[in-house]
Amino acid sequence: MSNLPKLDKLLKKQALVAEDTGMRNLLDYAENIVAIENAIAVVSDLKNGNSRIFAGRLGKVLGIDDYANENSIWEKKILSLLTEEDREEKYLAELRFFNYLRRVSRKSRPDYYLLSKLRMKTLGGEYIGIIHRMYYIYAPDSDSITHALCLYGRQVFDMAGKSMVVNSLTGLSEGLTSAGDSSILSKREVQVLKLIDSGKTSAYIAALLSISKNTVSRHRQEILAKLQVKNSLEACRLAKTMRII
């Protein structure tokens, strides 16, 4: 099951109350960093649901040109160069990163970015190592995310694991693995979700845990909200992917 629909919904929801934080300045920055680093930059406007690719010289190696996507915040031309496994790893890392930031103080959230290791297919058909950096841009005096900036550059160093979260102010980093997924849901929510996954009804769960059916329903709703899924079946599937249950 792809994690893209859930992540897409999660980000669009965040931007509903966001104000413009200076799109022109962000685009100028992306264009300049591409020229300086020989990288590819993608600016995604979460509020208006579009994205802009600045391909640069690396884009020529990968067969990507500058491109404005008016219909999606996802850089589909770039994603198509990844293997299916790497695409899902990327979505999962971004979902973990988003939930990681929920546990960080609002003031500190802009200090963090996601660092991932990917492989992309060149025009010649070979796969090359790519380092992906993703930054969220927040509305002033708000925890709402207005834009995302993704930078793709040639891999010039190795890193342990596939992805990590980095604090650009302190220099500290932390691997994003399934070990961190356990904090997304509370212990009680994990307990309830495991029972749901085993086919138990709300009445049975309420009796077993000595709580009311209304409390079970509240736990169900919280689980769906935190995992950004539509129903319990999707919640169970995602929780297994993230090794929460």
Side-chain angles (χ1 to χ4, degrees), residues 13-32:
K13 182 179 179 181
Q14 285 298 304
L16 290 180
V17 296
E19 297 295 335
D20 191 349
T21 58
M23 183 64 166
R24 184 64 259 168
N25 289 339
L26 185 57
L27 291 174
D28 288 342
Y29 171 79
E31 189 170 18
N32 287 327

Side-chain angles (χ1 to χ4, degrees), residues 6-218:
K6 292 176 287 297
L7 189 59
D8 183 73
K9 177 182 177 183
L10 192 64
L11 293 175
K12 286 179 178 177
K13 182 179 179 181
Q14 285 298 304
L16 290 180
V17 296
E19 297 295 335
D20 191 349
T21 58
M23 183 64 166
R24 184 64 259 168
N25 289 339
L26 185 57
L27 291 174
D28 288 342
Y29 171 79
E31 189 170 18
N32 287 327
I33 203 69
V34 163
I36 293 170
E37 294 192 7
N38 282 327
I40 296 173
V42 182
V43 177
S44 297
D45 184 338
L46 308 184
K47 182 179 180 182
N48 296 310
N50 55 51
S51 60
R52 174 76 178 272
I53 296 177
F54 297 90
R57 295 173 67 185
L58 180 58
K60 297 184 184 301
V61 175
L62 298 171
I64 299 174
D65 298 319
D66 289 357
Y67 181 73
N69 188 342
E70 301 297 335
N71 302 312
S72 174
I73 64 172
W74 301 101
E75 56 272 29
K76 294 181 180 180
K77 286 194 172 185
I78 293 176
L79 295 174
S80 67
L81 301 177
L82 302 173
T83 64
E84 183 177 352
E85 181 182 359
D86 264 14
R87 279 196 299 272
E88 285 306 310
E89 281 284 347
K90 182 178 183 295
Y91 300 147
L92 190 55
E94 292 179 11
L95 187 60
R96 285 171 174 160
F97 179 55
F98 184 90
N99 280 289
Y100 180 95
L101 292 178
R102 292 176 60 190
R103 304 189 294 272
V104 174
S105 68
R106 294 183 180 182
K107 183 179 179 180
S108 300
R109 287 174 189 170
D111 296 335
Y112 291 86
Y113 67 90
L114 173 66
L115 186 67
S116 301
K117 183 169 58 177
L118 304 170
R119 294 172 72 243
M120 287 187 177
K121 192 174 183 178
T122 67
L123 275 176
E126 65 173 326
Y127 280 89
I128 60 174
I130 296 289
I131 292 295
H132 168 232
R133 288 171 286 164
M134 187 183 74
Y135 304 81
Y136 285 138
I137 290 85
Y138 292 83
D141 303 320
S142 172
D143 60 349
S144 296
I145 302 169
T146 61
H147 300 83
L149 171 66
C150 287
L151 300 176
Y152 299 86
R154 291 296 297 263
Q155 182 179 342
V156 296
F157 61 89
D158 200 7
M159 53 182 276
K162 297 285 288 184
S163 59
M164 64 176 63
V165 59
V166 180
N167 186 312
S168 59
L169 182 63
T170 65
L172 297 177
S173 62
E174 181 179 340
L176 282 177
T177 65
S178 58
D181 296 342
S182 58
S183 60
I184 294 176
L185 301 181
S186 69
K187 291 183 178 179
R188 177 64 90 184
E189 288 164 351
V190 170
Q191 191 177 22
V192 169
L193 189 57
K194 285 181 178 179
L195 290 169
I196 293 172
D197 186 52
S198 66
K200 301 299 187 294
T201 65
S202 292
Y204 180 94
I205 296 172
L208 181 67
L209 301 180
S210 300
I211 57 179
S212 69
K213 287 182 64 177
N214 287 338
T215 300
V216 174
S217 296
R218 284 199 299 272

